[in-house]
Each structure stands twice: as C-alpha cells, then as structure tokens.
C-alpha cells in the first residue's frame, strides 16, 4: 500500500514538471540557444579583439558603441522570426540592453546563487508560455580585458571621457573578476 502511494506521488511529481512532457522541445530550445548565443559571442569577440589590437581600449570601445548593438541585431535577423537574441544586464551601459520583466528577477536570482557560492550553470531556461522559451547564457567578467571597460575606468581618463559622452547613464563599471555581468537571452518560439 505504502509503495503504491509512493509510486503515485512520484508519478504526479513527474507530471507536474513542466518540461517532462516536453523533453523534446526543451532539448531543441537548449540546442538552438547554445547555437545562437555562441554565434553572437563569436561575432562580438572577434571584432573586439581586432579593434583592441589595432587601437587599444578606446578604439575597441568606439567599436562597441557603434557596432555591438547592430551586430547583435544582425545575428538576431539571421535566425528568422521565431528566434531573437539580445544582451541584457542589471547594470547596463546601453539602455537598450536593460533587463526587463522576468529577466530582472532571473539575473537577480543568479546573483543570489553566486553569492551563496554556487558555480553558475552555463545556461538556464525560462518557459515564457506554452510555445515560447527564453534561453539565458550568463555572462561573467571572466577575462582581465573586460575590466578595462567595465572595471575602475577612472584609471583611463581618455576612455572614461569617451564613456561619459557616449553613455551619460552608464551603469556598467565597478565590476570585479568573476562578477556576473549579465546574460545573452535567446527567445525561441516553437
Ligand atoms: C573596449 C571596451 C570594452 C571591453 C574590453 C568590454 N566591453 Fe562590454 N561593453 C562595452 C560597451 C561600449 C558596451 C555598450 C555596447 C552598446 O552600446 O550596445 C558594452 C556592453 C556590454 C554588455 C551588454 C550590456 C550593457 O551594459 O549594455 C555586456 C553583457 C558586456 N559588455 C560584457 C562584457 C564582457 C563579459 C567583457 C569581457 C569579455 C566585456 N564586456 C569587455 C565596452 C567593452
């Protein structure tokens, strides 16, 4: 009798898992999310490296200012109307990258996890509604180079002058190595 009750409880718990009945679509979301977020990281990373090499942080910052957003839109377009991609942050530099709605609480939760010593997962998935998901790839300040533009930028007066002109509401400074900077969000409609 006890055994039956346990089995029943387990079966109900499994049925209550929103992903259990949709394992295939969940797997497809993860696959697409990984593909699109990697494509964006590659595009931005490659261009950033090129500009850092050619003209240092100020040149690279100008590149980010004029092109990071449009390159992101370019990747967004590439994957058709059922997939969109963007970068978000709680402390955004470009106001178009501000986290909105659930995105905020998801980033806050990731910060709380990190504060509790959790090594962040490489992605989390939000089920937005019956056929739409958001795949989040956390972006960590994982390289010293990030700090040139997101750390203590007062060390570089030329750069901080550029940032205060280009982004009067810049919130994306004061980070340390290992901090959660934000996320890439890939929204996928199936
Ligand atoms: C040369 C300067 C520079 C470096 C180095 C740099 N960034 Fe940025 N970053 C920027 C600029 C400028 C923006 C705003 C781009 C825009 O206008 O869309 C930005 C925006 C972002 C955003 C989008 C959210 C927001 O605040 O608008 C994320 C996430 C981000 N950077 C993460 C990183 C990470 C992680 C690294 C290290 C791997 C890094 N950045 C290195 C200049 C830089």
């Amino acid at each position: 009798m006890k055994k039956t009750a346990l089995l029943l409880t387990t079966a109900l718990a499994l049925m209550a898992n929103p992903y259990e009945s949709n394992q295939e679509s969940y797997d497809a979301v993860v696959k697409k999310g990984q593909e699109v977020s990697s494509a964006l990281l590659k595009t931005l990373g490659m261009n950033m490296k090129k500009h850092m090499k050619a003209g240092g942080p100020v040149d690279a910052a100008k590149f980010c200012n004029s092109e990071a957003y449009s390159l992101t839109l370019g990747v967004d377009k590439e994957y058709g109307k059922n997939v969109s991609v963007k970068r978000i942050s709680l402390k955004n530099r470009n106001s178009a990258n501000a986290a909105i709605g659930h995105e905020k609480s998801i980033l806050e939760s990731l910060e709380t996890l990190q504060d509790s010593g959790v090594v962040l997962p490489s992605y989390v998935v939000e089920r937005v509604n019956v056929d739409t998901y958001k795949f989040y790839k956390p972006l960590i300040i994982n390289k010293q180079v990030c700090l040139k533009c997101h750390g203590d930028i007062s060390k570089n007066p030329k750069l901080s002058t550029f940032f205060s002109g280009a982004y009067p509401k810049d919130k994306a400074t004061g980070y340390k190595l290992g901090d959660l900077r934000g996320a890439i969000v890939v929204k996928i409609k199936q």
Side-chain angles (χ1 to χ4, degrees):
M1 190 65 193
K2 249 189 186 166
K3 224 177 190 175
T4 323
L6 186 68
L7 275 177
L8 192 68
T9 322
T10 316
L12 283 174
L14 283 176
M15 271 166 15
N17 179 344
Y19 302 123
E20 196 57 33
S21 54
N22 280 300
Q23 190 62 42
E24 254 171 54
S25 46
Y26 177 74
D27 290 348
V29 164
V30 171
K31 192 158 173 260
K32 183 56 78 183
Q34 276 168 334
E35 180 190 340
V36 178
S37 57
S38 301
L40 179 60
L41 275 181
K42 202 168 152 204
T43 303
L44 293 179
M46 249 168 34
N47 283 288
M48 166 76 88
K49 247 191 203 151
K50 199 174 78 192
H51 287 268
M52 274 301 240
K53 236 185 181 168
V58 176
D59 185 49
K62 286 184 180 156
F63 148 75
C64 283
N65 172 232
S66 62
E67 283 173 58
Y69 194 73
S70 52
L71 281 172
T72 306
L73 286 179
V75 176
D76 180 282
K77 281 221 177 80
E78 214 174 288
Y79 288 91
K81 67 171 173 33
N82 288 338
V83 175
S84 62
V85 63
K86 61 177 181 174
R87 292 193 299 170
I88 57 162
S89 178
L90 292 169
K91 292 204 318 167
N92 49 288
R93 176 157 282 158
N94 184 336
S95 52
N97 297 331
I100 48 166
H102 280 184
E103 295 167 0
K104 270 195 209 160
S105 48
I106 288 171
L107 287 182
E108 281 163 6
S109 306
L110 289 171
E111 277 183 353
T112 307
L113 285 174
Q114 212 188 25
D115 289 346
S116 316
V118 170
V119 178
L120 292 186
S122 61
Y123 63 85
V124 293
V125 176
E126 174 195 358
R127 195 175 193 195
V128 178
N129 59 41
V130 74
D131 63 354
T132 306
Y133 297 79
K134 278 184 181 174
F135 172 97
Y136 293 75
K137 179 174 182 54
L139 295 175
I140 310 282
I141 297 282
N142 58 354
K143 295 193 186 103
Q144 203 68 37
V145 67
C146 309
L147 296 176
K148 286 198 190 297
C149 299
H150 295 298
D152 174 10
I153 58 164
S154 65
K155 285 184 195 154
N156 187 337
K158 254 194 184 160
L159 195 63
S160 49
T161 307
F162 170 72
F163 281 146
S164 48
Y167 303 99
K169 292 186 187 152
D170 188 10
K171 292 184 258 176
T173 59
Y175 284 94
K176 295 184 300 302
L177 218 54
D179 284 348
L180 178 68
R181 173 70 184 88
I184 292 179
V185 181
V186 187
K187 189 172 173 188
I188 299 158
K189 188 173 185 301
Q190 289 197 316

